[in-house]
Short mmCIF file of all heavy atoms in Angstrom, two decimals:
data_model
loop_
_atom_site.label_atom_id
_atom_site.label_comp_id
_atom_site.label_asym_id
_atom_site.label_seq_id
_atom_site.Cartn_x
_atom_site.Cartn_y
_atom_site.Cartn_z
N LEU A 24 42.07 -86.97 -54.91
CA LEU A 24 43.05 -86.21 -55.72
C LEU A 24 44.24 -87.09 -56.02
O LEU A 24 44.71 -87.84 -55.18
CB LEU A 24 43.53 -84.99 -54.93
CG LEU A 24 42.55 -83.88 -54.62
CD1 LEU A 24 43.19 -82.84 -53.73
CD2 LEU A 24 42.03 -83.26 -55.86
N THR A 25 44.79 -86.93 -57.21
CA THR A 25 46.03 -87.61 -57.55
C THR A 25 47.19 -86.70 -57.17
O THR A 25 47.00 -85.53 -56.82
CB THR A 25 46.06 -87.97 -59.04
OG1 THR A 25 46.05 -86.78 -59.81
CG2 THR A 25 44.90 -88.88 -59.42
N SER A 26 48.39 -87.19 -57.32
CA SER A 26 49.56 -86.44 -56.86
C SER A 26 49.80 -85.14 -57.62
O SER A 26 50.48 -84.25 -57.13
CB SER A 26 50.82 -87.31 -56.97
OG SER A 26 51.02 -87.69 -58.31
N ASP A 27 49.22 -85.01 -58.81
CA ASP A 27 49.45 -83.78 -59.57
C ASP A 27 48.23 -82.88 -59.64
O ASP A 27 48.23 -81.88 -60.33
CB ASP A 27 49.93 -84.12 -60.99
CG ASP A 27 48.93 -84.97 -61.75
OD1 ASP A 27 47.98 -85.48 -61.14
OD2 ASP A 27 49.10 -85.11 -62.98
N GLU A 28 47.19 -83.18 -58.89
CA GLU A 28 45.98 -82.36 -58.89
C GLU A 28 46.06 -81.26 -57.83
O GLU A 28 46.68 -81.42 -56.79
CB GLU A 28 44.74 -83.20 -58.60
CG GLU A 28 44.34 -84.11 -59.76
CD GLU A 28 43.10 -84.88 -59.45
OE1 GLU A 28 43.17 -85.77 -58.61
OE2 GLU A 28 42.06 -84.52 -60.04
N LEU A 29 45.40 -80.13 -58.13
CA LEU A 29 45.31 -79.02 -57.20
C LEU A 29 43.89 -78.84 -56.75
O LEU A 29 42.93 -79.09 -57.49
CB LEU A 29 45.81 -77.72 -57.87
CG LEU A 29 47.25 -77.63 -58.27
CD1 LEU A 29 47.52 -76.33 -59.04
CD2 LEU A 29 48.16 -77.73 -57.09
N ASP A 30 43.73 -78.39 -55.51
CA ASP A 30 42.41 -78.09 -54.98
C ASP A 30 42.53 -76.95 -53.99
O ASP A 30 43.56 -76.78 -53.36
CB ASP A 30 41.84 -79.32 -54.28
CG ASP A 30 40.36 -79.20 -53.97
OD1 ASP A 30 39.69 -78.32 -54.55
OD2 ASP A 30 39.85 -79.98 -53.17
N ASP A 31 41.49 -76.15 -53.87
CA ASP A 31 41.48 -75.07 -52.90
C ASP A 31 41.00 -75.59 -51.55
O ASP A 31 40.19 -76.52 -51.48
CB ASP A 31 40.56 -73.94 -53.34
CG ASP A 31 41.11 -73.18 -54.54
OD1 ASP A 31 42.34 -73.08 -54.65
OD2 ASP A 31 40.31 -72.70 -55.35
N GLY A 32 41.48 -74.95 -50.50
CA GLY A 32 41.05 -75.32 -49.16
C GLY A 32 41.28 -74.16 -48.21
O GLY A 32 41.91 -73.18 -48.57
N PHE A 33 40.77 -74.33 -47.01
CA PHE A 33 40.92 -73.30 -45.98
C PHE A 33 41.44 -73.93 -44.72
O PHE A 33 40.87 -74.92 -44.23
CB PHE A 33 39.55 -72.64 -45.67
CG PHE A 33 38.92 -71.99 -46.86
CD1 PHE A 33 38.00 -72.71 -47.63
CD2 PHE A 33 39.25 -70.71 -47.22
CE1 PHE A 33 37.41 -72.12 -48.73
CE2 PHE A 33 38.66 -70.12 -48.33
CZ PHE A 33 37.75 -70.82 -49.09
N ILE A 34 42.50 -73.37 -44.15
CA ILE A 34 42.99 -73.82 -42.84
C ILE A 34 42.16 -73.13 -41.79
O ILE A 34 42.07 -71.90 -41.77
CB ILE A 34 44.50 -73.53 -42.70
CG1 ILE A 34 45.28 -74.39 -43.68
CG2 ILE A 34 44.94 -73.79 -41.27
CD1 ILE A 34 46.75 -74.14 -43.71
N ILE A 35 41.53 -73.95 -40.92
CA ILE A 35 40.67 -73.36 -39.90
C ILE A 35 41.29 -73.45 -38.50
O ILE A 35 40.77 -72.87 -37.56
CB ILE A 35 39.27 -73.99 -39.90
CG1 ILE A 35 39.32 -75.50 -39.72
CG2 ILE A 35 38.54 -73.64 -41.19
CD1 ILE A 35 37.97 -76.14 -39.51
N ASN A 36 42.39 -74.17 -38.37
CA ASN A 36 43.06 -74.29 -37.09
C ASN A 36 44.48 -74.71 -37.40
O ASN A 36 44.70 -75.62 -38.19
CB ASN A 36 42.37 -75.36 -36.23
CG ASN A 36 42.90 -75.42 -34.83
OD1 ASN A 36 43.85 -74.74 -34.49
ND2 ASN A 36 42.27 -76.21 -33.99
N ILE A 37 45.49 -74.06 -36.80
CA ILE A 37 46.87 -74.37 -37.11
C ILE A 37 47.69 -74.36 -35.82
O ILE A 37 47.43 -73.57 -34.93
CB ILE A 37 47.44 -73.41 -38.17
CG1 ILE A 37 48.78 -73.90 -38.68
CG2 ILE A 37 47.48 -71.98 -37.66
CD1 ILE A 37 49.24 -73.22 -39.95
N SER A 38 48.69 -75.25 -35.77
CA SER A 38 49.61 -75.26 -34.65
C SER A 38 51.02 -75.54 -35.24
O SER A 38 51.17 -75.63 -36.46
CB SER A 38 49.25 -76.38 -33.66
OG SER A 38 49.52 -77.66 -34.21
N GLU A 39 52.00 -75.71 -34.37
CA GLU A 39 53.36 -75.99 -34.86
C GLU A 39 53.44 -77.37 -35.53
O GLU A 39 54.28 -77.56 -36.40
CB GLU A 39 54.36 -75.95 -33.69
CG GLU A 39 54.58 -74.55 -33.14
CD GLU A 39 55.63 -74.54 -32.05
OE1 GLU A 39 56.38 -75.52 -31.91
OE2 GLU A 39 55.66 -73.54 -31.32
N THR A 40 52.60 -78.31 -35.12
CA THR A 40 52.71 -79.68 -35.62
C THR A 40 51.70 -80.06 -36.70
O THR A 40 51.83 -81.09 -37.35
CB THR A 40 52.56 -80.68 -34.48
OG1 THR A 40 51.30 -80.47 -33.84
CG2 THR A 40 53.68 -80.50 -33.46
N GLY A 41 50.66 -79.22 -36.92
CA GLY A 41 49.66 -79.60 -37.91
C GLY A 41 48.55 -78.58 -38.03
O GLY A 41 48.64 -77.47 -37.49
N CYS A 42 47.49 -78.97 -38.73
CA CYS A 42 46.38 -78.06 -38.97
C CYS A 42 45.12 -78.84 -39.29
O CYS A 42 45.17 -80.06 -39.54
CB CYS A 42 46.68 -77.06 -40.07
SG CYS A 42 46.87 -77.82 -41.69
N CYS A 43 44.01 -78.15 -39.28
CA CYS A 43 42.74 -78.69 -39.73
C CYS A 43 42.39 -77.98 -41.02
O CYS A 43 42.43 -76.76 -41.10
CB CYS A 43 41.66 -78.47 -38.67
SG CYS A 43 40.08 -79.22 -39.10
N LEU A 44 42.07 -78.74 -42.04
CA LEU A 44 41.85 -78.21 -43.38
C LEU A 44 40.44 -78.51 -43.84
O LEU A 44 39.97 -79.65 -43.74
CB LEU A 44 42.84 -78.84 -44.37
CG LEU A 44 42.71 -78.44 -45.82
CD1 LEU A 44 43.20 -77.02 -46.04
CD2 LEU A 44 43.50 -79.43 -46.69
N LEU A 45 39.75 -77.49 -44.37
CA LEU A 45 38.46 -77.69 -45.05
C LEU A 45 38.75 -77.68 -46.55
O LEU A 45 39.39 -76.76 -47.06
CB LEU A 45 37.50 -76.56 -44.74
CG LEU A 45 36.83 -76.53 -43.41
CD1 LEU A 45 35.88 -75.33 -43.29
CD2 LEU A 45 36.04 -77.82 -43.14
N SER A 46 38.27 -78.73 -47.24
CA SER A 46 38.47 -78.78 -48.71
C SER A 46 37.25 -79.38 -49.37
O SER A 46 36.51 -80.14 -48.76
CB SER A 46 39.72 -79.61 -49.02
OG SER A 46 39.56 -80.94 -48.58
N ALA A 47 37.08 -79.07 -50.63
CA ALA A 47 35.94 -79.59 -51.38
C ALA A 47 36.14 -81.07 -51.72
O ALA A 47 35.20 -81.85 -51.76
CB ALA A 47 35.74 -78.80 -52.65
N SER A 48 37.39 -81.48 -51.91
CA SER A 48 37.69 -82.88 -52.24
C SER A 48 38.04 -83.63 -50.97
O SER A 48 38.84 -83.15 -50.16
CB SER A 48 38.87 -82.95 -53.19
OG SER A 48 38.56 -82.29 -54.40
N PRO A 49 37.48 -84.83 -50.78
CA PRO A 49 37.85 -85.61 -49.60
C PRO A 49 39.28 -86.09 -49.70
O PRO A 49 39.78 -86.38 -50.79
CB PRO A 49 36.85 -86.77 -49.64
CG PRO A 49 36.37 -86.86 -51.01
CD PRO A 49 36.48 -85.49 -51.60
N LEU A 50 39.97 -86.16 -48.58
CA LEU A 50 41.32 -86.66 -48.51
C LEU A 50 41.31 -88.04 -47.85
O LEU A 50 40.40 -88.36 -47.10
CB LEU A 50 42.23 -85.70 -47.73
CG LEU A 50 42.31 -84.27 -48.30
CD1 LEU A 50 43.13 -83.38 -47.37
CD2 LEU A 50 42.89 -84.28 -49.69
N ASN A 51 42.34 -88.83 -48.09
CA ASN A 51 42.42 -90.16 -47.54
C ASN A 51 43.45 -90.23 -46.39
O ASN A 51 44.52 -89.63 -46.49
CB ASN A 51 42.86 -91.16 -48.61
CG ASN A 51 41.84 -91.23 -49.73
OD1 ASN A 51 40.65 -91.37 -49.49
ND2 ASN A 51 42.31 -91.13 -50.96
N LYS A 52 43.09 -90.93 -45.32
CA LYS A 52 44.00 -91.13 -44.21
C LYS A 52 45.32 -91.70 -44.73
O LYS A 52 45.31 -92.62 -45.53
CB LYS A 52 43.37 -92.05 -43.17
CG LYS A 52 44.20 -92.20 -41.93
CD LYS A 52 43.47 -93.06 -40.92
CE LYS A 52 44.36 -93.26 -39.70
NZ LYS A 52 43.73 -94.11 -38.71
N GLY A 53 46.43 -91.10 -44.30
CA GLY A 53 47.74 -91.54 -44.76
C GLY A 53 48.24 -90.85 -46.00
O GLY A 53 49.42 -90.95 -46.36
N GLN A 54 47.37 -90.14 -46.70
CA GLN A 54 47.76 -89.42 -47.93
C GLN A 54 48.71 -88.29 -47.57
O GLN A 54 48.56 -87.59 -46.57
CB GLN A 54 46.50 -88.87 -48.57
CG GLN A 54 46.71 -88.15 -49.89
CD GLN A 54 45.39 -87.67 -50.49
OE1 GLN A 54 44.33 -87.86 -49.95
NE2 GLN A 54 45.49 -87.06 -51.65
N VAL A 55 49.76 -88.12 -48.36
CA VAL A 55 50.70 -87.04 -48.18
C VAL A 55 50.34 -85.94 -49.21
O VAL A 55 50.19 -86.21 -50.39
CB VAL A 55 52.15 -87.50 -48.40
CG1 VAL A 55 53.13 -86.32 -48.31
CG2 VAL A 55 52.51 -88.58 -47.39
N ILE A 56 50.17 -84.73 -48.68
CA ILE A 56 49.77 -83.61 -49.56
C ILE A 56 50.77 -82.45 -49.39
O ILE A 56 51.50 -82.39 -48.40
CB ILE A 56 48.34 -83.11 -49.26
CG1 ILE A 56 48.24 -82.49 -47.87
CG2 ILE A 56 47.34 -84.24 -49.46
CD1 ILE A 56 46.95 -81.72 -47.67
N LYS A 57 50.75 -81.58 -50.36
CA LYS A 57 51.56 -80.36 -50.33
C LYS A 57 50.60 -79.20 -50.17
O LYS A 57 49.68 -79.02 -50.97
CB LYS A 57 52.36 -80.22 -51.62
CG LYS A 57 53.28 -79.03 -51.65
CD LYS A 57 54.07 -79.03 -52.94
CE LYS A 57 54.96 -77.84 -53.05
NZ LYS A 57 55.69 -77.81 -54.32
N ILE A 58 50.81 -78.42 -49.13
CA ILE A 58 49.99 -77.23 -48.88
C ILE A 58 50.78 -76.03 -49.43
O ILE A 58 51.90 -75.78 -49.03
CB ILE A 58 49.74 -77.04 -47.37
CG1 ILE A 58 49.05 -78.26 -46.79
CG2 ILE A 58 48.94 -75.78 -47.11
CD1 ILE A 58 49.01 -78.28 -45.27
N GLN A 59 50.16 -75.34 -50.36
CA GLN A 59 50.82 -74.19 -50.98
C GLN A 59 50.15 -72.92 -50.48
O GLN A 59 48.93 -72.77 -50.57
CB GLN A 59 50.70 -74.29 -52.48
CG GLN A 59 51.76 -73.54 -53.19
CD GLN A 59 51.93 -74.05 -54.64
OE1 GLN A 59 51.24 -74.95 -55.09
NE2 GLN A 59 52.87 -73.47 -55.33
N ASN A 60 50.93 -72.03 -49.94
CA ASN A 60 50.46 -70.75 -49.43
C ASN A 60 50.10 -69.84 -50.60
O ASN A 60 50.53 -70.06 -51.74
CB ASN A 60 51.54 -70.11 -48.58
CG ASN A 60 51.03 -68.98 -47.70
OD1 ASN A 60 50.11 -68.30 -48.05
ND2 ASN A 60 51.68 -68.82 -46.56
N VAL A 61 49.29 -68.81 -50.32
CA VAL A 61 48.96 -67.86 -51.37
C VAL A 61 50.18 -67.08 -51.81
O VAL A 61 50.20 -66.52 -52.91
CB VAL A 61 47.82 -66.88 -50.94
CG1 VAL A 61 46.52 -67.64 -50.77
CG2 VAL A 61 48.19 -66.16 -49.66
N ASN A 62 51.21 -67.00 -50.98
CA ASN A 62 52.45 -66.35 -51.34
C ASN A 62 53.28 -67.32 -52.20
O ASN A 62 53.53 -68.44 -51.77
CB ASN A 62 53.27 -65.95 -50.11
CG ASN A 62 52.53 -64.95 -49.26
OD1 ASN A 62 51.83 -64.09 -49.77
ND2 ASN A 62 52.69 -65.05 -47.96
N PRO A 63 53.69 -66.91 -53.37
CA PRO A 63 54.45 -67.82 -54.25
C PRO A 63 55.72 -68.36 -53.56
O PRO A 63 56.40 -67.64 -52.84
CB PRO A 63 54.84 -66.91 -55.44
CG PRO A 63 53.85 -65.82 -55.41
CD PRO A 63 53.49 -65.62 -53.96
N GLY A 64 55.96 -69.63 -53.75
CA GLY A 64 57.17 -70.25 -53.21
C GLY A 64 57.05 -70.77 -51.80
O GLY A 64 57.95 -71.45 -51.34
N GLU A 65 55.96 -70.47 -51.09
CA GLU A 65 55.80 -70.96 -49.73
C GLU A 65 54.91 -72.20 -49.75
O GLU A 65 53.76 -72.15 -50.17
CB GLU A 65 55.17 -69.88 -48.84
CG GLU A 65 56.06 -68.69 -48.62
CD GLU A 65 55.46 -67.69 -47.67
OE1 GLU A 65 54.60 -68.07 -46.84
OE2 GLU A 65 55.85 -66.51 -47.75
N SER A 66 55.46 -73.35 -49.27
CA SER A 66 54.67 -74.57 -49.23
C SER A 66 55.12 -75.44 -48.05
O SER A 66 56.17 -75.22 -47.45
CB SER A 66 54.84 -75.35 -50.53
OG SER A 66 56.16 -75.81 -50.69
N GLN A 67 54.29 -76.42 -47.71
CA GLN A 67 54.53 -77.30 -46.57
C GLN A 67 53.95 -78.67 -46.94
O GLN A 67 52.88 -78.75 -47.51
CB GLN A 67 53.82 -76.75 -45.35
CG GLN A 67 53.87 -77.61 -44.12
CD GLN A 67 55.22 -77.58 -43.45
OE1 GLN A 67 55.81 -76.53 -43.27
NE2 GLN A 67 55.73 -78.72 -43.05
N THR A 68 54.67 -79.73 -46.61
CA THR A 68 54.17 -81.09 -46.80
C THR A 68 53.50 -81.57 -45.53
O THR A 68 53.99 -81.27 -44.43
CB THR A 68 55.32 -82.03 -47.19
OG1 THR A 68 55.96 -81.52 -48.37
CG2 THR A 68 54.84 -83.44 -47.44
N ALA A 69 52.41 -82.31 -45.67
CA ALA A 69 51.68 -82.81 -44.51
C ALA A 69 51.06 -84.17 -44.82
O ALA A 69 50.78 -84.50 -45.99
CB ALA A 69 50.59 -81.82 -44.10
N THR A 70 50.82 -84.95 -43.75
CA THR A 70 50.17 -86.27 -43.86
C THR A 70 48.78 -86.17 -43.28
O THR A 70 48.60 -85.59 -42.20
CB THR A 70 50.99 -87.34 -43.12
OG1 THR A 70 52.31 -87.37 -43.64
CG2 THR A 70 50.35 -88.69 -43.23
N VAL A 71 47.80 -86.72 -43.98
CA VAL A 71 46.41 -86.73 -43.51
C VAL A 71 46.30 -87.76 -42.40
O VAL A 71 46.60 -88.93 -42.60
CB VAL A 71 45.43 -87.06 -44.65
CG1 VAL A 71 44.01 -87.11 -44.13
CG2 VAL A 71 45.58 -86.07 -45.78
N ARG A 72 45.92 -87.33 -41.18
CA ARG A 72 45.76 -88.24 -40.04
C ARG A 72 44.30 -88.69 -39.87
O ARG A 72 44.05 -89.75 -39.35
CB ARG A 72 46.28 -87.58 -38.77
CG ARG A 72 47.77 -87.35 -38.79
CD ARG A 72 48.48 -88.67 -38.93
NE ARG A 72 49.92 -88.51 -39.07
CZ ARG A 72 50.71 -89.39 -39.64
NH1 ARG A 72 50.21 -90.50 -40.13
NH2 ARG A 72 51.98 -89.17 -39.71
N TRP A 73 43.37 -87.85 -40.27
CA TRP A 73 41.93 -88.21 -40.24
C TRP A 73 41.22 -87.30 -41.24
O TRP A 73 41.71 -86.22 -41.59
CB TRP A 73 41.32 -88.09 -38.84
CG TRP A 73 41.45 -86.74 -38.21
CD1 TRP A 73 42.44 -86.30 -37.40
CD2 TRP A 73 40.57 -85.62 -38.39
NE1 TRP A 73 42.24 -84.98 -37.04
CE2 TRP A 73 41.08 -84.55 -37.63
CE3 TRP A 73 39.40 -85.40 -39.11
CZ2 TRP A 73 40.46 -83.30 -37.56
CZ3 TRP A 73 38.79 -84.16 -39.04
CH2 TRP A 73 39.32 -83.12 -38.27
N SER A 74 40.07 -87.76 -41.70
CA SER A 74 39.27 -86.96 -42.63
C SER A 74 37.81 -87.39 -42.52
O SER A 74 37.52 -88.59 -42.43
CB SER A 74 39.77 -87.16 -44.06
OG SER A 74 39.10 -86.29 -44.94
N GLU A 75 36.90 -86.44 -42.52
CA GLU A 75 35.48 -86.73 -42.48
C GLU A 75 34.71 -85.70 -43.29
O GLU A 75 35.11 -84.55 -43.36
CB GLU A 75 34.96 -86.83 -41.05
CG GLU A 75 35.13 -85.58 -40.22
CD GLU A 75 34.71 -85.78 -38.77
OE1 GLU A 75 35.05 -86.83 -38.21
OE2 GLU A 75 34.10 -84.85 -38.23
N ARG A 76 33.62 -86.14 -43.85
CA ARG A 76 32.74 -85.27 -44.64
C ARG A 76 31.94 -84.42 -43.67
O ARG A 76 31.32 -84.93 -42.76
CB ARG A 76 31.82 -86.13 -45.50
CG ARG A 76 31.23 -85.40 -46.64
CD ARG A 76 32.26 -85.23 -47.72
NE ARG A 76 31.65 -84.71 -48.92
CZ ARG A 76 32.29 -83.93 -49.76
NH1 ARG A 76 33.52 -83.61 -49.56
NH2 ARG A 76 31.68 -83.46 -50.83
N CYS A 77 31.95 -83.10 -43.85
CA CYS A 77 31.19 -82.17 -42.97
C CYS A 77 29.78 -82.00 -43.49
O CYS A 77 28.82 -81.97 -42.71
CB CYS A 77 31.85 -80.81 -42.92
SG CYS A 77 33.44 -80.79 -42.16
N ASN A 78 29.62 -81.87 -44.79
CA ASN A 78 28.34 -81.66 -45.43
C ASN A 78 28.52 -81.96 -46.92
O ASN A 78 29.52 -82.57 -47.30
CB ASN A 78 27.86 -80.21 -45.20
CG ASN A 78 28.88 -79.18 -45.62
OD1 ASN A 78 29.51 -79.31 -46.65
ND2 ASN A 78 29.07 -78.14 -44.82
N ASN A 79 27.61 -81.56 -47.73
CA ASN A 79 27.69 -81.84 -49.16
C ASN A 79 28.76 -81.04 -49.87
O ASN A 79 29.09 -81.31 -51.01
CB ASN A 79 26.34 -81.61 -49.84
CG ASN A 79 25.31 -82.61 -49.42
OD1 ASN A 79 25.66 -83.71 -49.02
ND2 ASN A 79 24.05 -82.26 -49.52
N LEU A 80 29.31 -80.01 -49.20
CA LEU A 80 30.28 -79.15 -49.85
C LEU A 80 31.73 -79.39 -49.41
O LEU A 80 32.65 -79.21 -50.20
CB LEU A 80 29.91 -77.68 -49.57
CG LEU A 80 28.56 -77.21 -50.08
CD1 LEU A 80 28.32 -75.77 -49.63
CD2 LEU A 80 28.49 -77.33 -51.59
N TYR A 81 31.95 -79.73 -48.15
CA TYR A 81 33.31 -79.76 -47.63
C TYR A 81 33.61 -81.03 -46.84
O TYR A 81 32.75 -81.65 -46.25
CB TYR A 81 33.55 -78.58 -46.69
CG TYR A 81 33.56 -77.25 -47.36
CD1 TYR A 81 32.48 -76.39 -47.27
CD2 TYR A 81 34.66 -76.86 -48.12
CE1 TYR A 81 32.47 -75.17 -47.92
CE2 TYR A 81 34.66 -75.63 -48.80
CZ TYR A 81 33.57 -74.79 -48.67
OH TYR A 81 33.58 -73.61 -49.32
N SER A 82 34.92 -81.34 -46.85
CA SER A 82 35.47 -82.37 -45.95
C SER A 82 36.43 -81.65 -45.00
O SER A 82 37.07 -80.65 -45.35
CB SER A 82 36.28 -83.41 -46.77
OG SER A 82 35.43 -84.22 -47.49
N GLU A 83 36.51 -82.18 -43.79
CA GLU A 83 37.41 -81.64 -42.79
C GLU A 83 38.50 -82.68 -42.55
O GLU A 83 38.18 -83.85 -42.37
CB GLU A 83 36.63 -81.35 -41.52
CG GLU A 83 37.42 -80.64 -40.44
CD GLU A 83 36.56 -80.29 -39.25
OE1 GLU A 83 35.85 -81.18 -38.73
OE2 GLU A 83 36.56 -79.13 -38.88
N SER A 84 39.76 -82.26 -42.56
CA SER A 84 40.87 -83.20 -42.42
C SER A 84 41.89 -82.67 -41.42
O SER A 84 42.22 -81.50 -41.42
CB SER A 84 41.57 -83.41 -43.77
OG SER A 84 40.67 -83.90 -44.73
N GLY A 85 42.40 -83.59 -40.59
CA GLY A 85 43.49 -83.27 -39.68
C GLY A 85 44.80 -83.62 -40.32
O GLY A 85 44.99 -84.75 -40.79
N LEU A 86 45.70 -82.65 -40.43
CA LEU A 86 46.97 -82.85 -41.09
C LEU A 86 48.14 -82.68 -40.12
O LEU A 86 48.11 -81.85 -39.26
CB LEU A 86 47.14 -81.82 -42.22
CG LEU A 86 46.01 -81.70 -43.24
CD1 LEU A 86 46.34 -80.58 -44.23
CD2 LEU A 86 45.78 -83.00 -43.95
N GLU A 87 49.14 -83.55 -40.28
CA GLU A 87 50.37 -83.45 -39.48
C GLU A 87 51.51 -83.01 -40.42
O GLU A 87 51.76 -83.65 -41.44
CB GLU A 87 50.72 -84.80 -38.87
CG GLU A 87 51.94 -84.77 -38.01
CD GLU A 87 52.29 -86.11 -37.42
OE1 GLU A 87 51.89 -87.16 -37.98
OE2 GLU A 87 52.94 -86.13 -36.37
N PHE A 88 52.17 -81.91 -40.06
CA PHE A 88 53.25 -81.42 -40.89
C PHE A 88 54.45 -82.38 -40.85
O PHE A 88 54.73 -82.98 -39.83
CB PHE A 88 53.73 -80.03 -40.40
CG PHE A 88 52.66 -78.97 -40.49
CD1 PHE A 88 52.45 -78.10 -39.47
CD2 PHE A 88 51.85 -78.86 -41.62
CE1 PHE A 88 51.51 -77.10 -39.54
CE2 PHE A 88 50.88 -77.87 -41.72
CZ PHE A 88 50.70 -76.99 -40.67
N ALA A 89 55.11 -82.50 -42.00
CA ALA A 89 56.30 -83.36 -42.12
C ALA A 89 57.51 -82.68 -41.54
O ALA A 89 57.59 -81.51 -41.46
CB ALA A 89 56.54 -83.71 -43.59
#
């Protein structure tokens, strides 16, 4: 994804410091992303700490909140 692209994903585990995200597009280690909540105006910036392909449909990524 480029900095202006949007993609859907699902948070499957969350803590105060980060989360695990399932997404259709693979993310790159070190990539900074913006997580936008379904509620308008709610967002969070996070850094990708690891990412691996789960299957042909999804990638799983560990994110650390900024």
Side-chain angles (χ1 to χ4, degrees):
L24 294 175
T25 63
S26 61
D27 59 348
E28 288 183 289
L29 295 175
D30 193 16
D31 289 329
F33 301 94
I34 293 176
I35 58 172
N36 188 354
I37 191 166
S38 71
E39 290 182 17
T40 59
C42 66
C43 183
L44 177 73
L45 283 181
S46 62
S48 299
L50 300 176
N51 298 311
K52 185 176 177 182
Q54 183 178 1
V55 176
I56 66 167
K57 182 177 178 181
I58 302 168
Q59 203 160 2
N60 196 329
V61 292
N62 298 325
E65 293 184 23
S66 65
Q67 175 75 45
T68 302
T70 302
V71 178
R72 294 300 176 203
W73 58 266
S74 186
E75 60 186 41
R76 199 76 172 148
C77 295
N78 54 42
N79 291 336
L80 299 176
Y81 293 104
S82 289
E83 186 176 52
S84 301
L86 308 178
E87 181 180 25
F88 297 136

